[in-house]
Structures are given as C-alpha cells and as structure tokens.
C-alpha cells in the first residue's frame, strides 16, 4: 500500500511542475507579444539586479522635485506632511537603441528595470499614490537615459525651535539618500541646482509663508560606509496676525479691564473683588487654551508664554493693589472721611482756631509775665556737659569724654534718622492716593514692557 501512495504522490508533483512550466512559457510568449519589438530587444539579456556600469565606476543619478502641497505642519509632533513629485534620471548603457524619439512605458514595467534605491531620510510614514493606478512614469531615451517619476505623500520630521513662537522662523529639510549603494556605486546630484525644486512660489499655507529655499549635496557617513545624500532646505515664517487676534489682543484687553477697579471707590468691596477675580480667572483660561496647540513636554519658554505671564502679573498686581489699599483704610479709620469732608474739616479747624486764639490771648499774656518773673535764669550751654559730683566729693574734672564714642554715637543716630525717613516715606497718609498713583503707574509700566517685549522678539 505504501509503494502505491508514494508513486501517486510523485506523479502529482510531476504533473504540477509540467503545468507551471507551461504557464511560465505561455506568459513569456504573451509578454513578448505585448512588448514592442524595440523593448523586447532591449529586455533580452537584461539583468535588473545589476546596476548600470557595474564594472566601470558609479552611476550618476540626477534628481528634481516638484512640491505639490504641504498639507500640515505640526508643532506638537514636530513634523510636516507634503505631497511631492520625485523625478530621477540616470543613464543605462544596456538600454541604448536607435531612433530619435523617447519611449514612454507603462509604470508597471518598472519591475523589469533597475531603479535607484532612493529613500527619504527622517520620514515617519510615506506612501505611493495608486489611484487609479500606481502614479509612476517610465521614459527611455535613445541614448539610454531613463526618466523615473513618482508621486509620493510623506510625513517628515522637522526639528523646531519654538523659543520665539509665534514670531518664529523654522528651517525644515527634505533629504534623499541611497539605501544600499555607497558613493562608489551611486552618485546623486541636483539636475538644475537650486532651480531643481519648484512649486513653492505658488504654494499657499495656513499659518506660514515660504521665505527662502535652497539645495545642497552632502554625504551620509555610517558604519557601513559613505552614502550619497541630497538635501532640500526651506525656511518658513509664521504669520502672526492670527495670534494677535486670538491671544494678544484679548489678553491686553483683560489687563485694561483690570484697571477699571482703580476708578471704583475703596468702599465698593464686592465690585472691585468681582472685577479682580473675574479677570484673573479669565486670564488663566486664556493661558491654558494657548498651550493646547503646543507640545506639553516641550521645555521651551515661548514668547507667547512670556507675554501671557506679563499680562497675568499685571492683572494679579491690580488685585493685590486693592488689597493693600483696603488694608491701609483699616489702619486709618478716618481715612474715608478725607475724600468727602476735606473742605468741611478745613473750615471747622479754621473757625475753631480763630475763636481759640481770641479767647486765650489775655490769659497767654498774663502767663508770660508770671513766667518771666518766677523762672530761674537759663543755664549756659557749658552746664549741659557738667557731670554730677563723684561720691568721694572731689571736684569734677574739666576734661570732656573721648571723641571716639561720640563719633560712633552720632553715626548711629544718623543711620536711625535715615531709617525713620524711609519708613515715613512708605507711610500712607491717605489710602485713596494709592488708586491715584496706580492709574498712572500701571498703564505706563504696561506700555514700557510692551515696547521692550516686541522690540526684543521682532528684532533680536
């Protein structure tokens, strides 16, 4: 039973192999019938696994780009997504044919030819468009030059410096490199220098404008060797108008709104507290909303963070100003009467002073006469320095104290006077004057800080 089973298995394998051979032969015959005679003659003996000039030096590959669109530029992921048309040209001596016209082939025939193993450096994800067919182009010229074009959408990493966000400029790159062939096998070059990249002049971006772009040629050095690399640099400048309307203007208006409390009476506690707390909470919400479009783990202190911090400080300062002014009114119970009864108090004091002066004039004259009769003679200035007699009963010495202790005492007294003057300067006679000073100092300080801020971030 076992020999019959093995014989049947062998017969089945032989039958399947015969069928595969016949199918392959028929496919080759059909391929030969489909291909034109010129292409069929070129493909005869062609080995797509060997590069051109395999034994005669490196093959040179020229490249050009057409930027169809830059879809998104993400600060959170620090990358950009672009759709490009990549064109590569090289010469294959095995594809030389007679004639003066080029041959445009179906893109699916690229599987029969050798093509460079070009890849995009720093690409996170890429794909080749295949609607309605794979977007490829193959064109062969009589001298053996091959034009190979692709339509690719790729997401490429771009390192961004966000310290001046949103007044920043970012320089991103698109790098093309050979994966397996080193500089001894393949050489890359831009076909027309800086003009090899087109499409940026008519490109419309949401938040950016393309200021400059240029190309360069370099080499990538790895452990396995040196590989050719082409680099395309483009500089993007962010449009600040959106951020002015979205963040800068609202935050500035909140600061101005916090100054309204300076014109409200100190006795209106609910009104001033309501304005202060509302502006602080609104500013906090605005700061949180501005950070949602930026990377959370970013260690940069951005320009917009600095401005929001300045605005928050002024708003919080206005709230603290009311706390200080209200505390001063508590330490001065009659301070609230100074603003409303100032003139009345002046008139009362003046009238009381006149009446007191008139009524006390005769008594003052009488007291002066009595004081002149009964008062002892005034001591001289030298008696102020006379010390009391010593217990021994000896006469006091006429020598004065040493000058050094007196000098140090005078210095200490001068320092105490200065400290008292400083404390007196900080003393608030009328708490209502704090609001008057704040009406000038807060707006003036905010204008100066804005001038310094915009000058630094726009011109430095």
């Amino acid at each position: 039973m076992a020999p019959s089973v093995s014989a049947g298995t062998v017969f089945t394998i032989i039958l399947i192999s015969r069928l595969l051979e016949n199918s392959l032969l028929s496919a080759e015959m059909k391929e030969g019938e489909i291909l034109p005679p010129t292409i069929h003659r070129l493909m005869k003996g062609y080995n797509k696994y060997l590069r051109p000039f395999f034994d005669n030096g490196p093959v040179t590959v020229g490249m050009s780009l057409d930027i169809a669109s830059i879809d998104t530029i993400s600060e959170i992921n620090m990358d950009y997504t672009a759709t490009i048309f990549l064109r590569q040209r090289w010469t294959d001596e095995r594809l030389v044919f007679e004639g003066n016209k080029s041959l445009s082939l179906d893109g699916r025939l690229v599987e029969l030819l050798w093509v460079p193993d070009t890849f995009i450096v720093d690409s996170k994800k890429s794909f080749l468009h295949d609607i309605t067919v794979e977007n490829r182009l193959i064109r062969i010229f009589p001298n053996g030059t091959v034009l190979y074009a692709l339509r690719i959408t790729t997401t490429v990493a771009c390192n961004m410096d966000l310290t001046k966000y949103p007044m920043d400029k970012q320089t991103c790159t698109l790098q093309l490199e050979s994966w397996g062939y080193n500089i001894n096998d393949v050489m890359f070059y831009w076909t027309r220098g800086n003009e090899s990249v087109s499409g940026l002049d008519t490109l419309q971006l949401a938040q950016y404008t393309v200021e400059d772009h240029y190309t360069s040629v370099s080499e990538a050095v790895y452990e396995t060797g040196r590989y050719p690399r082409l680099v395309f640099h483009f500089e993007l400048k962010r449009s600040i108008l959106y951020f002015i309307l979205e963040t800068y203007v609202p935050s500035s208006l909140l600061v101005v709104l916090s100054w309204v409390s300076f014109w409200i009476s100190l006795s209106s506690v609910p009104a001033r507290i309501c304005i202060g707390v509302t502006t602080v909470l609104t500013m906090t919400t605005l700061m949180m909303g501005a950070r949602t479009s930026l990377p959370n783990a970013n260690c940069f202190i951005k320009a917009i963070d600095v401005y929001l911090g300045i605005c928050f400080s002024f708003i919080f300062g206005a709230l603290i100003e009311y706390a200080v002014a209200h505390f001063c009114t508590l330490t001065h119970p009659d301070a609230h009467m100074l603003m409303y009864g100032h003139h009345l108090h002046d008139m009362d004091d003046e009238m009381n002073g006149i009446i007191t002066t008139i009524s006390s004039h005769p008594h003052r004259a009488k007291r002066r006469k009595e004081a002149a009769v009964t008062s002892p003679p005034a001591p001289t200035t030298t008696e102020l320095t006379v010390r009391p007699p010593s217990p021994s009963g000896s006469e006091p010495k006429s020598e004065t104290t040493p000058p050094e202790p007196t000098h140090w005492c005078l210095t200490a007294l001068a320092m105490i006077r200065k400290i008292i003057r400083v404390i007196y300067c900080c003393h608030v006679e009328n708490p209502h004057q704090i609001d008057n000073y704040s009406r000038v100092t807060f707006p003036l300080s905010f204008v100066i800080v804005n001038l310094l801020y915009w000058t630094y971030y726009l011109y430095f």
Side-chain angles (χ1 to χ4, degrees):
M1 190 67 181
S4 61
V5 173
S6 61
T9 305
V10 172
F11 177 77
T12 304
I13 294 174
I14 294 173
L15 180 62
I16 293 174
S17 63
R18 293 291 183 181
L19 292 175
L20 289 175
E21 289 178 0
N22 293 333
S23 62
L24 291 174
L25 289 174
S26 61
E28 290 179 358
M29 291 179 64
K30 290 181 180 179
E31 184 179 328
E33 293 176 358
I34 294 174
L35 293 177
T38 304
I39 303 301
H40 184 68
R41 186 167 56 253
L42 292 175
M43 294 295 101
K44 186 177 181 180
Y46 186 88
N47 190 350
K48 65 178 181 179
Y49 301 107
L50 297 179
R51 65 174 178 83
F53 307 103
F54 186 74
D55 295 329
N56 298 321
V59 57
T60 57
V61 180
M63 295 193 184
S64 61
L65 291 174
D66 191 357
I67 308 297
S69 64
I70 297 180
D71 303 325
T72 58
I73 301 175
S74 175
E75 292 83 8
I76 298 178
N77 300 322
M78 288 197 176
D79 57 23
Y80 67 92
T81 302
T83 300
I84 62 173
F85 296 95
L86 174 61
R87 301 182 182 91
Q88 305 177 78
R89 296 173 182 266
W90 69 91
T91 300
D92 194 339
E93 77 282 3
R94 298 169 294 180
L95 299 179
V96 176
F97 63 92
E98 296 180 357
N100 53 5
K101 293 184 178 180
S102 61
L103 299 176
S104 296
L105 307 179
D106 189 278
R108 289 167 286 191
L109 293 178
V110 71
E111 304 296 337
L112 303 177
L113 301 176
W114 177 90
V115 293
D117 57 347
T118 307
F119 76 101
I120 300 175
V121 184
D122 297 332
S123 176
K124 296 183 178 180
K125 57 181 179 180
S126 302
F127 65 90
L128 178 68
H129 292 263
D130 55 359
I131 303 298
T132 58
V133 295
E134 290 186 349
N135 296 170
R136 295 181 177 181
L137 181 145
I138 289 290
R139 186 171 296 167
I140 303 176
F141 295 87
N143 61 350
T145 300
V146 181
L147 172 61
Y148 180 41
L150 299 168
R151 183 183 176 216
I152 304 172
T153 295
T154 179
T155 301
V156 185
C158 177
N159 294 326
M160 300 182 181
D161 183 8
L162 299 176
T163 53
K164 290 189 176 182
Y165 177 91
M167 293 165 282
D168 56 331
K169 294 181 181 179
Q170 305 297 338
T171 300
C172 298
T173 59
L174 179 64
Q175 305 180 50
L176 304 173
E177 186 180 317
S178 176
W179 175 257
Y181 294 105
N182 56 28
I183 58 176
N184 297 323
D185 299 322
V186 174
M187 295 295 296
F188 287 170
Y189 70 96
W190 293 106
T191 55
R192 298 185 302 275
N194 290 335
E195 297 180 357
S196 301
V197 181
S198 59
L200 289 176
D201 298 334
T202 59
L203 202 61
Q204 297 292 332
L205 301 177
Q207 293 186 11
Y208 293 90
T209 56
V210 181
E211 283 202 335
D212 190 18
H213 61 89
Y214 59 94
T215 59
S216 63
V217 181
S218 63
E219 295 180 358
V221 180
Y222 300 105
E223 184 180 356
T224 56
R226 304 167 68 90
Y227 297 86
R229 175 182 291 182
L230 298 181
V231 185
F232 169 59
H233 310 261
F234 58 98
E235 186 176 303
L236 300 173
K237 182 179 179 181
R238 196 185 305 271
S239 301
I240 195 176
L241 180 60
Y242 167 79
F243 297 94
I244 290 177
L245 300 177
E246 187 73 13
T247 304
Y248 284 95
V249 170
S251 58
S252 300
L253 292 179
L254 284 174
V255 175
V256 175
L257 180 61
S258 66
W259 299 340
V260 175
S261 62
F262 300 151
W263 277 265
I264 300 178
S265 174
L266 289 174
S267 59
S268 302
V269 177
R272 297 195 66 160
I273 291 295
C274 181
I275 291 178
V277 174
T278 302
T279 51
V280 168
L281 294 178
T282 307
M283 192 66 206
T284 304
T285 305
L286 189 63
M287 294 172 66
M288 295 176 61
R291 293 194 181 102
T292 55
S293 61
L294 296 175
N296 296 327
N298 198 342
C299 60
F300 294 115
I301 298 177
K302 297 168 284 295
I304 194 171
D305 295 335
V306 174
Y307 192 82
L308 292 176
I310 291 172
C311 294
F312 184 83
S313 301
F314 273 90
I315 292 174
F316 190 76
L319 184 61
I320 296 299
E321 182 271 345
Y322 174 65
V324 173
H326 186 69
F327 177 78
C328 292
T329 58
L330 296 178
T331 58
H332 297 75
D334 57 341
H336 65 279
M337 297 299 295
L338 295 175
M339 295 299 294
Y340 303 101
H342 180 71
H343 298 288
L344 182 61
H345 287 180
D346 290 343
M347 293 176 63
D348 291 342
D349 292 341
E350 184 178 358
M351 294 298 296
N352 293 334
I354 295 173
I355 296 172
T356 304
T357 303
I358 295 174
S359 60
S360 61
H361 181 72
H363 299 283
R364 290 181 181 177
K366 183 177 180 180
R367 290 175 183 174
R368 288 177 184 175
K369 291 180 180 180
E370 293 177 355
V373 173
T374 60
S375 60
T380 60
T381 56
T382 57
E383 293 178 354
L384 294 175
T385 58
V386 176
R387 296 182 180 182
S390 60
S392 60
S394 61
E395 292 293 333
K397 297 182 180 181
S398 61
E399 295 180 358
T400 59
T401 58
E404 291 185 358
T406 305
H407 175 72
W408 287 107
C409 291
L410 293 176
T411 305
L413 290 175
M415 292 297 296
I416 293 173
R417 289 194 188 97
K418 291 181 180 179
I419 294 173
I420 293 174
R421 289 174 184 175
V422 172
I423 296 174
Y424 183 77
C425 291
C426 298
H427 179 70
V428 179
E429 293 291 341
N430 186 1
H432 294 276
Q433 296 297 328
I434 298 177
D435 283 344
N436 296 335
Y437 296 147
S438 299
R439 294 170 190 174
V440 178
T441 56
F442 271 76
L444 184 61
S445 301
F446 189 68
V447 170
I448 294 174
V449 170
N450 268 271
L451 290 176
L452 295 176
Y453 173 86
W454 292 104
T455 303
Y456 174 77
Y457 282 105
L458 289 178
Y459 300 103
F460 294 97

